[in-house]
Amino acid sequence: MTESVSPRLAPLPLEKWDDTTRAMLRGHVRAADRYLSGDPDAPPVPNILGVLAHHTELASAWLAFNGLLLEHPSLDPLERELVVLRVAWCSGSDYEWRQHARMAAGLGFTEEQVAAVRRGPDAPGWTPVQRLLLTMTDELMERHRVTDRTWTELALHFDERQLIELLFVTGAYLCLAMVFNSVDLQPDPENDRPRPSAHPEMEEQP
């Protein structure tokens, strides 16, 4: 896999957004008014929102779903981000990796922990639950099903609501990773700084 010079599907520029698309953003994104203000110091619209702007109805449904996972979770956010980072690494999604490495750091993950996600459940330093979550993620990525043993162990630590959410988090971010990879989504300017690549063939495994 090689890096693309330009995306296959470029984010829709803000000046081309219609009123329906702008209303959609305001309905689902807290910082929407800042993005849409037109002020000289307004932050740039994240590239993922620009891509979603090509399909307003789908964007509205997706942002509502994803907003539930992020803003009203039954899971500990750090546990969620651990799963998402592993999905990003295994799927080779640089955009997702960069975004969620930043989010995980904001929640308290150290650089060493973020780097250890690339090595998966066999890396030293994980708690038993963290190692279990990484194992679950690998099984879903490789087999599309959690093994009986892993499911039994998960059920000792998570209730039914959390178990369902774990599956949906893994699937949701795999879906996003496939979109990011396929449209060749480029990093957001404020997040375009060196980080371990999410493409295993582009960087030697630690």
Side-chain angles (χ1 to χ4, degrees):
M1 186 182 300
T2 58
E3 290 185 340
S4 298
V5 176
S6 60
R8 288 174 171 174
L9 179 63
L12 188 68
L14 191 57
E15 59 270 19
K16 293 186 178 181
W17 288 29
D18 58 22
D19 291 342
T20 301
T21 305
R22 290 169 180 266
M24 173 276 297
L25 188 68
R26 287 191 170 98
H28 295 293
V29 178
R30 291 179 180 176
D33 287 334
R34 293 175 57 213
Y35 293 138
L36 300 173
S37 67
D39 295 338
D41 60 347
V45 176
N47 287 338
I48 177 53
L49 295 178
V51 167
L52 288 174
H54 288 289
H55 195 322
T56 303
E57 296 84 2
L58 187 152
S60 181
W62 179 266
L63 289 172
F65 167 64
N66 199 53
L68 176 65
L69 294 178
L70 294 176
E71 297 176 17
H72 304 285
S74 62
L75 295 170
D76 183 299
L78 270 177
E79 292 172 340
R80 179 196 65 225
E81 291 306 308
L82 179 63
V83 170
V84 175
L85 279 172
R86 187 60 179 168
V87 170
W89 174 256
C90 291
S91 61
S93 176
D94 278 323
Y95 189 90
E96 191 166 272
W97 177 267
R98 290 168 186 261
Q99 290 287 340
H100 288 273
R102 176 177 54 81
M103 291 175 66
L107 290 169
F109 255 37
T110 65
E111 289 187 8
E112 291 75 17
Q113 286 175 308
V114 172
V117 171
R118 296 179 290 159
R119 297 177 62 184
D122 294 332
W126 298 125
T127 67
V129 172
Q130 288 172 330
R131 184 170 289 108
L132 181 60
L133 290 171
L134 291 166
T135 298
M136 175 209 72
T137 307
D138 283 3
E139 289 175 357
L140 285 170
M141 295 291 289
E142 295 169 7
R143 310 178 186 189
H144 308 135
R145 186 179 189 275
V146 179
T147 63
D148 290 342
R149 177 178 179 179
T150 300
W151 183 266
T152 298
E153 292 181 8
L154 285 168
L156 297 176
H157 301 280
F158 301 95
D159 62 25
E160 289 85 352
R161 180 183 175 92
Q162 292 172 320
L163 289 169
I164 289 292
E165 194 165 311
L166 282 170
L167 299 176
F168 270 91
V169 165
T170 308
Y173 282 92
L174 175 58
C175 176
L176 280 176
M178 290 190 292
V179 173
F180 298 159
N181 289 347
S182 296
V183 303
D184 287 333
L185 193 63
Q186 304 300 299
D188 294 326
E190 68 273 16
N191 204 21
D192 190 13
R193 57 183 178 274
R195 287 193 184 277
S197 171
H199 292 296
E201 68 272 29
M202 289 167 53
E203 180 174 337
E204 183 180 354
Q205 294 271 5

